[in-house]
Amino acid sequence: MPGWLCCPGFFPVTNPIGIFDSGLGGLTVYRALQKLLPHESLVYLGDTARVPYGTKSAPTVTEYSIENTEFLLERAAKIVVVACNTASAYAVPQLQAQFDVPIQGVLNPGAAHAATVTRNGHVGVIGTSGTIASDAYAQALRQINPDLQVTSQSCPLFVPLVEEGWLDRPETVSIAQTYLTPLLEAEVDTIILGCTHYPLLRAVIQQVVGESVTLIDSATATAEVVKDMLGRGGMLPPISANRDAGREHPAPTDHEFWVTDAPERFQRVGEIFLGHSLDNVRKV
Ligand code: DGL
């Protein structure tokens, strides 16, 4: 049993939650964590110098993920959340074997949520070329329920469309139709948005697939799992632990943003992502 689970107090509870992504897409996970765990400090690393991960090989993405985790541990993270789906698909088992802090990817929470909401047992998965090639979502879904049917589709143009802010252009709708038609033909009733950027295309994707198809956002499901892990490990800060006892003395929280390149761009596009100003963006 890992030390953090068997021994509450293994890490100071006021230490931050570490989050890393290949770039700024992981802000969707940051936002979900911030909403669900408002009394936690958060430290976010966007590997903007080496984005995208979605077209890179498993050994390369794993090497980058190890370096990102090391950085977050230097910032005293008590848990590391792998916000990037590609890194979650390729690197989480290696990170869990190598580091003595809890490591949580976005893949299993997203798969678990999809498995519970599908009505016809047929789930679609969309993601980067790397995530889809890894088959990790399909394996996770079948592990939960071997009877599930899974249809996967890589959507490599979605990330650049989001990065350009082309969230509802006619071109975006037409590309979405091309990618999503095979899933509709396969009659999936649930689709996992298996990439950090896809929640920003949610409106277009929903328009193309219709209201009868449920879209699963891994970010929200992951935040729920992280909250549960911290609770079980005795790692929630005092405000959450003591709310029932009526003591409302939260420790001061701090949100840090680190990038490996171009902090100004991260700040500018990140503010569009989050819908509020983003201070404190620093280069590693
Ligand atoms: N963060 C990546 C993911 O969720 C998308 C961007 C990239 O390819 O690096 O898979």
Side-chain angles (χ1 to χ4, degrees), residues 21-23 25-26 51-55 83-87 128 131 159 194-197:
D21 179 45
S22 54
V51 69
Y53 283 10
T55 50
C84 176
N85 287 255
T86 312
T128 65
T131 298
V159 168
C195 173
T196 46
H197 288 57

